[in-house]
Amino acid sequence: MKVTFVCPGDELLGIGYMSAVLKQHDIETDLVFDPRLLQDSIFGRTFVTRYLTLDSEFLVSRIIETEPDLVAFTATTNTILWAFEVASKLKKAAEQIPIIFGGPHVTAVPERVIRRDFVDFICVGPGEYALLELVQSLQSGDGYDIPGIWHKRGSQVRHHDRIYQVEDLDQVPFPDKELFYSQLPFYKNPYVIVSSRGCPFNCTYCLQSMYHKLYRKCGAKPYQRRSVSNVIQELVVAKKRWGIKSVKFFDDLFAYNKRWLKEFCEEYKRKIDLPFRCSLHPHVVDAEILDLLKYAGAYTLTVGVESVNESILRDILNRKGSYESMQRSLELMRKSKMYFSVDHIFGLPDESEEDHKKAALLYTHVRPNNILLYWLVYYPKTEIIKHGLERKLIEQSDIELIEEGQGHISYKYAHHEGYQEAYPYYVLFNLIPIRIIPKFVFAFILKHNLLKVFKLPMFVVALKQLFDSLDPRSSRNEQLNKTRHLFKYVLAMRRRKPVKGKGLA
């Protein structure tokens, strides 16, 4: 039995874990990877963009070439339409191959995905052992009454009421990194790892708010953590086998339990001693946590600020903690001398220009090394949708588009009056981390409302991003290096001669 995973855009740890479990039970796996370069290119559909894009026909050929018994697609809301296009063409070309869908979008709206005629199964929630049981059932011919698995029987859809959650994460094998590294060896650095699943917080704009509802309904745990020894053991193996040079903890929140963190930092320093990056929550940061992280080798920290308006944080985003607490945390990070970035969201319900000014003054004071800016995206089944509807920022008809993956409705904000108000601050926030610009310049601009007089050109954002890409500690530098290697990967794929299957021209 062989399972081929179809993966868009980046290394996905979930696929690595599922492959590891399958291989542990003597089930072969393969990977068809689409970097999805230039998908939203400003250059349009030129010869160059077409050549650097692996079209769906090419991907179907690659899938068939692997000779799978089951094809597994993983998709977010951003990539679900891509997955639908590839899967529909695969079903026409090789209708005998069953197809399963999984991932955040599928878990959010399973009833919408399973109704597609080219989808045979879907997996809701964690997939490692649900997929294993499905493959074993396909081998044996038994039924599909498996937690987390939805399937079709004639015109009916059958599904289990529960999801498949592992009680002890230490019992799950380490992810199958070879699946990605054999094709994409540059993913070794930084080595991506998670020490936990889920998040202890339940922010309304985050997909975790959807997962929290699902897990409560199924009696599952919304947050789990591996033991320190298990995490360190994986890194010892990675260091020995792959010669890794740096580590990226992909946890939604890394430094949460201080007792766990103390044990981890001691063991990490003693046995791994490589630079690493991780994410923090501003209201659980203190001097002791920062000292521990610095001692262990943290070289880049990312902290989610999102907004400086306490009412928005508390009543709309469900993020507890005061502005003063957030400010203290950022000041401690500045004093620690570690490179740190802050996340900030524009387009939040009830935000005002005063909020933008307040945030600009805060960031001017603490001078983070980078400000990662986002426009609010309404993802399916997240709690933030309720607030958007109440304030008429989105309409009921938009929900259909969101759940079908046809638009995340962040674009609607561009036509909202708040966008014109936020835009100058979006540009300004990109300039604030540039240390050669003195603080008093930003203070003067804000005090005299000069953003209303002089409109900062958008090209300064591109210049700032270029500047960031030169700093090896920045996420943009990591992305630039990754993109360079992905272009080489696409060119190598283009030189292959794909196998044509039934239905392929």
Side-chain angles (χ1 to χ4, degrees), residues 249-408:
F249 287 96
F250 209 60
D251 304 60
D252 285 354
L253 174 59
F254 184 69
Y256 178 61
N257 182 307
K258 194 178 289 188
R259 182 187 301 176
W260 186 96
L261 186 66
K262 286 179 180 178
E263 182 186 350
F264 166 82
C265 289
E266 287 294 336
E267 289 296 295
Y268 186 90
K269 183 68 175 177
R270 187 165 63 90
K271 296 182 178 179
I272 308 302
D273 198 22
L274 292 173
F276 69 91
R277 60 200 311 160
C278 63
S279 297
L280 308 174
H281 191 291
H283 301 303
V284 297
V285 171
D286 60 28
E288 185 180 9
I289 283 176
L290 292 176
D291 286 344
L292 287 167
L293 291 170
K294 189 172 185 178
Y295 162 76
Y299 73 101
T300 298
L301 305 175
T302 301
V303 60
V305 171
E306 319 311 358
S307 172
V308 296
N309 183 314
E310 285 189 27
S311 176
I312 290 176
L313 288 168
R314 180 185 62 249
D315 301 330
I316 295 177
L317 303 186
N318 193 33
R319 290 173 68 88
K320 307 297 188 289
S322 66
Y323 172 80
E324 289 73 22
S325 169
M326 179 192 299
Q327 185 177 26
R328 281 195 301 271
S329 296
L330 295 179
E331 287 175 345
L332 286 171
M333 295 175 79
R334 175 176 59 85
K335 291 175 182 176
S336 75
K337 306 296 184 183
M338 285 187 283
Y339 183 102
F340 77 100
S341 301
V342 300
D343 290 342
H344 187 94
I345 301 176
F346 282 103
L348 294 169
D350 293 352
E351 72 177 10
S352 67
E353 186 172 6
E354 285 306 307
D355 297 329
H356 303 323
K357 280 187 179 179
K358 188 176 180 179
L361 289 169
L362 172 63
Y363 297 149
T364 299
H365 174 64
V366 300
R367 292 307 277 272
N369 298 91
N370 201 2
I371 304 175
L372 303 174
L373 301 169
Y374 305 92
W375 297 99
L376 175 65
V377 172
Y378 294 93
Y379 286 112
K381 303 299 182 183
T382 52
E383 290 295 309
I384 194 74
I385 287 176
K386 175 184 69 176
H387 298 287
L389 287 170
E390 288 173 353
R391 291 157 179 79
K392 301 190 183 326
L393 295 173
I394 56 174
E395 302 166 2
Q396 196 62 46
S397 58
D398 293 324
I399 307 303
E400 178 78 13
L401 295 175
I402 293 171
E403 295 189 355
E404 288 293 328
Q406 296 176 15
H408 323 312

Side-chain angles (χ1 to χ4, degrees), residues 40 96 105 232 265 290 332 349 354 407 415 441 460 481 485 493:
D40 302 306
Q96 76 283 3
H105 188 85
I232 296 297
C265 289
L290 292 176
L332 286 171
E354 285 306 307
H415 304 289
V441 172
V460 302
N481 287 330
H485 286 294
M493 287 293 102

Side-chain angles (χ1 to χ4, degrees), residues 73-118:
F73 285 84
T74 297
T76 62
T77 301
N78 306 51
T79 60
I80 192 69
L81 295 182
W82 162 86
F84 285 163
E85 180 184 357
V86 178
S88 64
K89 290 182 178 178
L90 173 63
K91 185 60 77 173
K92 291 176 182 176
E95 60 185 6
Q96 76 283 3
I97 303 175
I99 294 173
I100 182 169
F101 267 62
H105 188 85
V106 178
T107 295
V109 287
E111 67 287 344
R112 289 184 179 270
V113 178
I114 191 66
R115 75 184 185 194
R116 302 278 176 158
D117 56 8
F118 49 82

